[in-house]
Amino acid sequence: MALTFDRHRRLRSSAAMRSLVRENHVRVEDLIYPIFVVEGSNIKEEIPSMPGVYHFSLDRLNEEIDEVAALGIQSVLVFGVPEHKDACGSEAYNDDAVTQRAIRQIKERHPELVVIADTCLCQYTDHGHCGVLRDGDVVNDESLTLLAKTAVSQAKAGADIIAPSNMMDGFVAAIRAALDEAGFTHVPIMSYAVKYASSFYGPFRDAAHSAPKSGDRKAYQMDPANAREGLREAASDVAEGADFLMVKPGLAFMDMVLRLRESFHLPIVVYNVSAEYSMVKAAAANGWIDEERIVMETMVGFKRAGADLIITYHAKDVAKWLAR
């Protein structure tokens, strides 16, 4: 008696067949590369917890930007790390601060690049929190005023997209209103809509010098146990005028990428964050994994979950692999 069953392997029989029926693809256009700029001169210093990722002073920044552009990567996310920090993060909205100067420099050298400005206060405040600190608490509405000033300053410098990562209530509405009033109605907002209070940010805090001096960020970033809350956060940002929605971190929260993809029609961004990157680099350095295959599976996983764009420190490597 002949058995009757499905022959799924027919579509896996060769590399050409597998390519023919492949459902999701990673393109170099999907990648956003984060860059860290610092004050000083002749600085290109590797971040110890993030192998292959560097701090660049402005006089060394062009070499990195030139490589990014040559690889076909079309977008960068700029993080500035100032020398001067104070309680209100005044360097965040200083038109001549390191972040704003970096944005201007990138746009002058490679105007075709889409420059995204991270809009937060944590790396600019002396206490390391993402807003104004009063009696140990981050106060929401005062923080919105400073975040709106920061967004306008970044847009004046030439930022193509404002990406607020602070998780204050109403941050999209405040920034949208400020941008519009300043004449930047054309500048979109990439909201860190679903940002968890995660342990996966550790190496980034080394890179941005932004670890809180006291307490933690659990009162304003989301509980990693919650999913429905993320949908509420995203819905608020959409109503307030967000143009992109982001999930951060990526790997442990791919379910949220899928939930946002199924619930909203805006472009969905996923942030493949620092510890996700550093764990792969450490395992690869020990010979435990095939780095390229692991990274590319991760990128495809983000796309399969529904991400349109991927912020990743692997971007340069991925671009080189895709070009082969």
Side-chain angles (χ1 to χ4, degrees), residues 12-319:
R12 305 172 193 156
S13 58
S14 68
M17 182 69 77
R18 291 190 294 274
S19 180
L20 185 68
V21 299
R22 187 160 293 137
E23 298 175 22
N24 293 282
H25 299 82
V26 178
R27 310 172 306 149
V28 70
E29 294 89 350
D30 302 331
L31 306 173
I32 300 170
Y33 185 55
I35 292 177
F36 296 95
V37 292
V38 297
E39 298 185 66
S41 61
N42 195 31
I43 296 172
K44 180 184 177 181
E45 293 179 349
E46 189 172 42
I47 298 161
S49 57
M50 298 178 71
V53 178
Y54 295 83
H55 286 130
F56 288 94
S57 55
L58 295 177
D59 59 332
R60 298 288 302 273
L61 178 59
N62 285 350
E63 58 195 79
E64 180 78 338
I65 295 301
D66 289 348
E67 182 184 8
V68 166
L71 288 169
I73 296 169
Q74 297 184 1
S75 182
V76 293
L77 174 60
V78 178
F79 294 95
V81 185
E83 289 181 354
H84 171 73
K85 302 185 181 213
D86 56 30
C88 59
S90 60
E91 285 296 282
Y93 42 89
N94 176 357
D95 289 346
D96 199 40
V98 66
T99 305
Q100 284 80 347
R101 284 183 284 148
I103 292 168
R104 287 194 291 269
Q105 181 173 325
I106 295 168
K107 291 302 295 184
E108 287 170 4
R109 189 165 183 89
H110 286 285
E112 77 281 3
L113 286 178
V114 174
V115 176
I116 306 169
D118 178 79
T119 306
C120 196
L121 300 179
C122 58
Q123 65 262 42
Y124 303 96
T125 57
D126 53 14
H127 48 74
H129 279 284
C130 301
V132 177
L133 201 62
R134 294 271 186 267
D135 300 322
D137 292 326
V138 175
V139 291
N140 196 91
D141 295 5
E142 287 182 57
S143 301
L144 294 181
T145 301
L146 301 185
L147 291 164
K149 289 176 62 176
T150 301
V152 170
S153 179
Q154 293 168 337
K156 285 167 59 179
D160 297 291
I161 299 174
I162 297 300
S165 59
N166 51 86
M167 290 298 286
M168 297 296 109
D169 290 338
F171 68 92
V172 173
I175 289 171
R176 183 72 272 159
L179 289 173
D180 291 352
E181 184 177 349
F184 296 106
T185 57
H186 61 287
V187 174
I189 295 174
M190 179 182 288
S191 171
Y192 286 66
V194 183
K195 182 179 179 181
Y196 288 94
S198 171
S199 298
F200 282 96
Y201 305 145
F204 173 87
R205 289 175 181 169
D206 291 340
H209 302 165
S210 62
K213 294 287 181 64
S214 62
D216 53 41
R217 296 174 177 157
K218 294 179 180 179
Y220 47 100
Q221 294 178 359
M222 282 179 49
D223 185 340
N226 292 356
R228 294 189 300 273
E229 181 184 0
L231 292 177
R232 295 199 301 273
E233 288 273 4
S236 294
D237 292 353
V238 171
E240 292 172 16
D243 300 281
F244 302 79
L245 297 174
M246 188 192 303
V247 175
K248 181 181 181 183
L251 274 174
F253 302 94
M254 280 205 203
D255 65 307
M256 292 309 302
V257 178
L258 177 60
R259 288 168 190 251
L260 262 61
R261 175 72 292 147
E262 292 177 338
S263 301
F264 303 100
H265 297 294
L266 296 180
I268 304 299
V269 186
V270 65
Y271 200 140
N272 180 208
V273 297
S274 58
E276 297 168 356
Y277 169 87
S278 296
M279 290 189 296
V280 170
K281 285 292 185 181
N286 279 285
W288 295 339
I289 61 170
D290 182 321
E291 181 178 354
E292 178 179 347
R293 292 181 66 182
I294 288 286
V295 171
M296 292 308 297
E297 283 185 35
T298 301
M299 298 299 114
V300 170
F302 289 141
K303 295 290 289 186
R304 190 182 65 247
D308 299 293
L309 300 170
I310 304 167
I311 302 171
T312 179
Y313 303 97
H314 295 289
K316 291 197 298 182
D317 288 334
V318 172

